[in-house]
């Protein structure tokens, strides 16, 4: 683990990227950036052939700063720390507390990277990464950032604990459409690691997440429900809804067998083929009784009307 700690004293399960993966990502980025720089330089050389030497030099310096320095900074800012090489290697630049980087972090990393990577061919960056405990170069130290591995094996991910049994169905009517994915991720991370936290810190974090969830849903939790149980119950409700939607989307593909069942029973009564199976069963019982005994047929005539009133289908 990386030892990355948030402001709530939560240890994040982030693993720092080591020198081989970072070097491969940097090599991919340098190939892409230098290729773009050469193409831009050739285009400027053709377009500015009629200008004087001073103007050509100024345009060359501007293209160097924009393509080799400005472009990587813009890419890391817009993608929140994922350049093309880092995407290929499964890496990401994050803050020391595990949050996404901003423009100032990318600016500091890019400005110092000109010296420790381009001017020294990466020698200073390699030495700094080998010396640092978390594999950080000088630009990461000054920017307060860290390059971590974004791809974690699935076997290492812990399962979310189930909700308490006494909360089953308590959040069935909760509107979860306004809850962002980032908040769901924070809640899942807390629920999978809440037993590893200090009780006071864990309670404070659970209350903060519960307050954010209530603000998104607009519905307060039931009285007397602890914050951790409330979070587990809401996550369990969302998982149940996802499972129902997945099951409903798979039913038409595998529902070819049950579909013909109502057809034989629906044909005598003239009802539609989509009527529930309970509706055709009611007329079948009087038919059997009439065939067996004519005297009991009149006595049982009052029973069929009660079946539609208590069945799953409402009376017409």
């Amino acid at each position: 683990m990386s030892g990355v700690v948030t402001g709530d004293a939560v240890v994040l399960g982030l693993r720092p990227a080591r020198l081989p993966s970072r070097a491969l990502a940097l090599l991919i980025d340098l190939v892409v950036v230098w290729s773009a720089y050469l193409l831009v330089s050739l285009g400027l050389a053709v377009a500015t052939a009629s200008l004087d030497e001073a103007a050509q030099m100024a345009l060359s310096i501007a293209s160097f700063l924009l393509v080799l320095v400005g472009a990587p900074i813009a890419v890391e800012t817009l993608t929140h720390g994922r350049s093309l090489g880092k995407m290929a290697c499964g890496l990401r630049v994050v803050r020391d507390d595990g949050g996404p980087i901003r423009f100032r972090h990318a600016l500091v990393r890019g400005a110092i990277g000109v010296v420790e990577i381009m001017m020294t061919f990466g020698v200073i960056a390699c030495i700094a990464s080998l010396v640092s405990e978390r594999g950080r170069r000088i630009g990461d130290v000054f920017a307060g950032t860290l390059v971590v591995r974004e791809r974690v094996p699935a076997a290492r991910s812990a399962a979310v604990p189930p909700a308490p049994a006494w909360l089953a169905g308590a959040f069935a009517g909760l509107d979860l459409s306004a809850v962002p994915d980032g908040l769901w991720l924070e809640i899942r991370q807390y629920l999978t690691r809440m037993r590893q936290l200090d009780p006071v810190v864990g309670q404070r974090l659970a209350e903060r997440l519960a307050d954010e969830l209530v603000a998104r849903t607009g519905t307060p939790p039931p009285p007397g429900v602890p914050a951790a149980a409330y979070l587990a119950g809401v996550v369990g409700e969302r998982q149940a809804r996802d499972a129902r939607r997945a099951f409903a989307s798979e039913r038409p593909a595998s529902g070819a067998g049950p579909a013909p069942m109502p057809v034989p029973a629906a044909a005598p009564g003239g009802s539609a083929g989509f009527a529930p199976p309970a509706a055709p069963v009611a007329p079948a019982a009087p038919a059997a009784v009439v065939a067996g005994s004519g005297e009991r047929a009149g006595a049982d005539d009052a029973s069929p009307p009660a079946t539609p009133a208590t069945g799953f289908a409402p009376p017409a």
Side-chain angles (χ1 to χ4, degrees):
M1 295 298 175
S2 67
V4 179
V5 182
T6 66
D8 296 306
V10 179
V11 179
L12 301 179
L14 302 177
R15 291 189 293 174
R18 295 304 177 184
L19 183 59
S21 58
R22 293 192 62 176
L24 179 59
L26 179 61
L27 180 61
I28 296 175
D29 290 336
L30 288 178
V31 169
V32 174
V33 171
W34 275 102
S35 300
Y37 175 69
L38 290 177
L39 292 177
V40 172
S41 299
L42 290 176
L44 288 177
V46 174
T48 60
S50 60
L51 299 179
D52 56 359
E53 185 178 353
Q56 293 179 358
M57 183 61 66
L59 290 176
S60 299
I61 296 175
S63 63
F64 175 85
L65 293 176
L66 289 177
V67 178
L68 295 181
V69 182
I73 293 174
V75 169
E76 284 196 353
T77 302
L78 297 176
T79 61
H80 298 291
R82 297 183 67 193
S83 62
L84 184 61
K86 291 181 177 64
M87 290 181 187
C89 298
L91 307 180
R92 179 189 287 271
V93 182
V94 297
R95 300 196 307 260
D96 280 339
D97 59 355
I101 65 171
R102 301 184 183 277
F103 172 73
R104 60 185 180 88
H105 304 97
L107 179 61
V108 174
R109 294 185 79 254
I112 299 180
V114 174
V115 178
E116 65 172 334
I117 295 178
M118 294 185 181
M119 293 186 178
T120 62
F121 300 99
V123 175
I124 297 178
C126 291
I127 295 175
S129 298
L130 290 174
V131 173
S132 175
E133 180 183 359
R134 297 189 291 180
R136 301 199 299 175
R137 63 179 177 89
I138 298 178
D140 292 320
V141 175
F142 280 94
T145 57
L146 174 70
V147 181
V148 298
R149 294 185 58 184
E150 195 173 31
R151 297 173 186 166
V152 181
R156 294 180 177 269
S157 59
V160 177
W166 49 276
L167 282 178
F171 306 105
L174 204 61
D175 183 13
L176 305 178
S177 59
V179 182
D181 293 337
L183 182 56
W184 286 122
L185 180 59
E186 290 186 51
I187 296 175
R188 288 177 60 88
Q189 289 178 344
Y190 163 74
L191 292 176
T192 54
R193 297 182 175 91
M194 62 180 180
R195 300 185 183 276
Q196 305 173 7
L197 303 176
D198 180 78
V200 178
V201 175
Q203 178 66 21
R204 194 162 59 241
L205 179 59
E207 292 175 355
R208 181 181 67 83
L209 293 175
D211 291 340
E212 294 184 13
L213 192 58
V214 169
R216 296 288 185 174
T217 59
T219 304
V225 176
Y230 170 69
L231 295 176
V234 175
V235 171
E237 175 62 27
R238 188 200 182 195
Q239 292 176 345
R241 294 182 185 181
D242 293 341
R244 286 195 296 266
R245 281 195 295 267
F247 179 73
S249 62
E250 294 176 0
R251 283 184 63 183
S254 60
M261 293 180 60
V263 175
S271 57
F274 294 98
V281 174
V289 174
V290 171
S293 174
E295 297 179 358
R296 295 187 60 183
D300 293 339
D301 287 339
S303 57
T307 302
T310 58
F312 292 99

